[in-house]
């Protein structure tokens, strides 16, 4: 058995002349909670649909649970739980009827898990699914996905639009399902504080290109920020190859690097200035800088000075 539940090689998808996913080589370790990150339009949902065999790649391949994603059998799909963004439900069914309908497609259905998730989200079985709040719909969808006890759980932006209480319930449920080491979760999310709380590893997709795939702590440690405070006389700085972003005020310069070299760090720390401080970045700060526009930044209000 492979140590990876998902492996892609050169996975590429064009829509017309537009390349949405380009030469993606991705490996998701068995038993991990894997965060799949990227801005809107980065290609995350298209990648997920290719993994599930819902979209055919232009070229390249994807293997899920050891099987080619374009050849997944019903038995293979029963081992995969998929929660698409939007939390779609059949509104005319009751919560109970949704469960019975979904259970009919699976050879194994754990009623205890289904009931536990309903209880966790305080769902009334007799309530129509169409009358549920957004958070309750997310809870119902999660119950439907978890009850077959899938080996692989794929969640496409599952917390989209949820309030903090519902998001916390969702996170707790994700942690519950991976309490067994052979369970794996791949999930995309724009809520990076949630990713930071639960993910073991992350991949960063930027305009269809895989920019990083590593342990979460490794990513944060390779994106570093230094704040240089001076007394109004700015020190001269060379062109740093690893510099992502520069932010200046009258008395400070903030420099953010990817994979800063020893020589670059030594140069910064040897500057004759008032103080030099390294700031520990959150995942969100590191990600935003890493995939954002590179170069020099300033307060947008400064650009408006003198404008009437």
């Amino acid at each position: 058995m492979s140590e990876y539940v998902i492996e892609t090689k050169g996975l590429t998808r064009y829509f017309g002349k537009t390349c949405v996913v380009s030469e993606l080589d991705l490996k998701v370790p068995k038993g991990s909670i894997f965060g799949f990150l990227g801005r809107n339009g980065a290609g995350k949902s298209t990648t997920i649909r290719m993994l599930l065999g819902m979209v055919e790649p232009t070229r390249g391949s994807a293997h899920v649970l050891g099987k080619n994603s374009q050849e997944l059998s019903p038995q293979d799909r029963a081992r995969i739980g998929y929660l698409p963004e939007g939390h779609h439900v059949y509104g005319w069914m009751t919560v109970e009827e949704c469960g019975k309908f979904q259970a009919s497609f699976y050879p194994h259905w754990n009623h205890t898990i289904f009931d536990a998730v309903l209880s966790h989200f305080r769902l009334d079985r007799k309530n129509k699914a169409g009358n549920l709040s957004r958070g309750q719909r997310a809870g119902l969808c999660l119950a439907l996905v978890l009850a077959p006890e899938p080996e692989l759980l794929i969640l496409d932006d599952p917390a989209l639009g949820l309030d903090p209480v519902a998001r916390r319930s969702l996170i707790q449920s994700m942690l519950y399902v991976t309490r067994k080491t052979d369970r794996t979760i791949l999930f995309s999310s724009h809520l990076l504080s949630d990713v930071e709380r639960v993910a073991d590893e992350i991949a960063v997709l930027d305009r269809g290109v895989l920019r990083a795939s590593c342990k979460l702590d490794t990513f944060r440690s390779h994106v570093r920020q230094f704040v240089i405070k001076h007394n109004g006389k700015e020190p001269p700085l060379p062109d740093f190859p690893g510099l992502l972003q520069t932010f200046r005020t009258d008395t400070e310069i903030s420099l953010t690097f990817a994979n800063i070299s020893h020589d670059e760090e030594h140069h910064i720390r040897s500057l004759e200035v008032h103080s030099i401080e390294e700031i520990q970045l959150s995942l969100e700060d590191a990600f935003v800088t890493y995939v954002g526009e590179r170069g020099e930044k300033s307060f947008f209000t400064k650009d408006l000075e003198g404008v009437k």
Side-chain angles (χ1 to χ4, degrees), residues 23-210:
E23 302 294 335
L24 179 64
D25 293 334
L26 185 67
K27 292 183 177 181
V28 177
K30 185 177 182 179
S32 65
I33 301 181
F34 197 96
F36 195 36
L37 311 182
R39 301 173 69 176
N40 286 335
K44 302 186 302 299
S45 292
T46 298
T47 299
I48 286 173
R49 293 187 182 110
M50 286 192 285
L51 294 177
L52 294 168
M54 299 164 63
V55 171
E56 186 176 356
T58 304
R59 61 175 178 267
S61 64
H63 284 77
V64 178
L65 297 174
K67 304 292 183 67
N68 188 310
S69 63
Q70 297 299 306
E71 301 172 357
L72 294 174
S73 67
Q75 292 77 19
D76 296 327
R77 294 185 182 280
R79 300 165 63 195
I80 303 169
Y82 171 49
L83 181 58
E85 59 182 334
H87 311 123
H88 302 291
V89 294
Y90 295 111
W92 65 88
M93 291 185 181
T94 64
V95 169
E96 178 103 32
E97 289 168 342
C98 285
K100 290 180 178 178
F101 178 73
Q102 188 83 342
S104 67
F105 294 98
Y106 291 92
H108 173 74
W109 184 267
N110 190 319
H111 293 279
T112 301
I113 290 179
F114 183 73
D115 293 343
V117 178
L118 294 188
S119 176
H120 189 69
F121 282 85
R122 300 179 181 178
L123 293 173
D124 184 346
R125 293 172 173 276
K126 297 180 181 179
N127 206 349
K128 292 282 188 181
N131 295 332
L132 301 178
S133 69
R134 184 173 289 182
Q136 289 173 325
R137 287 204 310 273
L140 173 57
C141 290
L142 191 64
L144 297 173
V145 169
L146 295 183
E149 296 192 278
E151 297 173 43
L152 170 62
L153 190 60
I154 297 179
L155 311 175
D156 192 358
D157 221 349
L160 183 67
L162 301 187
D163 62 51
V165 174
R167 279 171 51 201
R168 178 60 62 87
S169 294
L170 187 71
I171 293 297
Q172 290 172 342
S173 298
M174 287 171 60
L175 293 173
Y176 170 80
V177 78
T178 54
R179 71 196 187 284
K180 295 182 179 179
T181 57
D182 60 346
R183 300 284 172 81
T184 307
I185 294 178
L186 169 72
F187 76 109
S188 69
S189 179
H190 291 98
L191 300 169
L192 299 187
S193 60
D194 291 346
V195 177
E196 193 164 26
R197 189 176 298 125
V198 300
D200 306 309
E201 301 198 21
I202 62 168
V204 178
L205 202 62
D206 185 24
R207 300 176 186 177
V209 177
L210 185 65

